[in-house]
Amino acid sequence: QVQLVESGGGLVQAGGSLRLSCAASGRTFSNYAMGWFRQAPGKERDFVAAINWSGGGTYYADSVKGRFTISRDNAKNTVYLQMNSLKPEDTAVYYCAADVRPQVSARFRWDYWGQGTQVTVSS
């Protein structure tokens, strides 16, 4: 089992920044890929970003490329999402997820999810 706990959400003005964190426990964090997703009211959950087990591969949705950065600190069992130049359309609940298959770098399968953290961007 893997437990994921997100933090760092909040209310920010358009153009501002937030950094989300997701703390993982339960398995060897450095072996598995992590991802961020978001879900706005009345919409489906969408992929935002992912990072492979080593941190050497990162992947982004087109809507956030150049504004968001995913990173990980394996010593702290934590993955981050740095969000800059935020827009009102970034408003959503943000979830982190884990693919616990060892050392996977593609075709991720998200087995575990956190409870989500709300991000609200005002115009």
Side-chain angles (χ1 to χ4, degrees), residues 29-75:
F29 179 76
S30 58
N31 266 352
Y32 54 85
M34 296 293 296
W36 286 97
F37 292 75
R38 66 187 181 186
Q39 187 168 20
K43 296 188 177 181
E44 295 185 351
R45 189 173 299 187
D46 291 329
F47 169 77
V48 174
I51 187 166
N52 74 345
W53 62 278
S54 68
T58 56
Y59 314 87
Y60 296 94
D62 288 344
S63 58
V64 306
K65 278 181 184 175
R67 300 188 298 124
F68 291 10
T69 302
I70 189 170
S71 62
R72 64 189 299 154
D73 185 339
N74 287 342

Side-chain angles (χ1 to χ4, degrees), residues 1-28:
Q1 285 283 22
V2 171
Q3 292 77 43
L4 304 174
V5 179
E6 302 97 334
S7 61
L11 173 64
V12 64
Q13 287 189 334
S17 298
L18 281 175
R19 188 177 80 157
L20 305 183
S21 300
C22 174
S25 61
R27 288 199 188 186
T28 305

Side-chain angles (χ1 to χ4, degrees), residues 54-114:
S54 68
T58 56
Y59 314 87
Y60 296 94
D62 288 344
S63 58
V64 306
K65 278 181 184 175
R67 300 188 298 124
F68 291 10
T69 302
I70 189 170
S71 62
R72 64 189 299 154
D73 185 339
N74 287 342
K76 295 183 177 180
N77 288 1
T78 300
V79 64
Y80 303 99
L81 185 68
Q82 178 66 44
M83 305 186 295
N84 298 330
S85 302
L86 282 161
K87 305 174 181 180
E89 51 264 44
D90 295 317
T91 295
V93 177
Y94 282 72
Y95 299 88
C96 70
D99 177 343
V100 298
R101 295 172 297 164
Q103 301 184 2
V104 168
S105 293
R107 297 188 180 91
F108 299 121
R109 182 189 70 204
W110 305 108
D111 304 301
Y112 295 93
W113 295 84

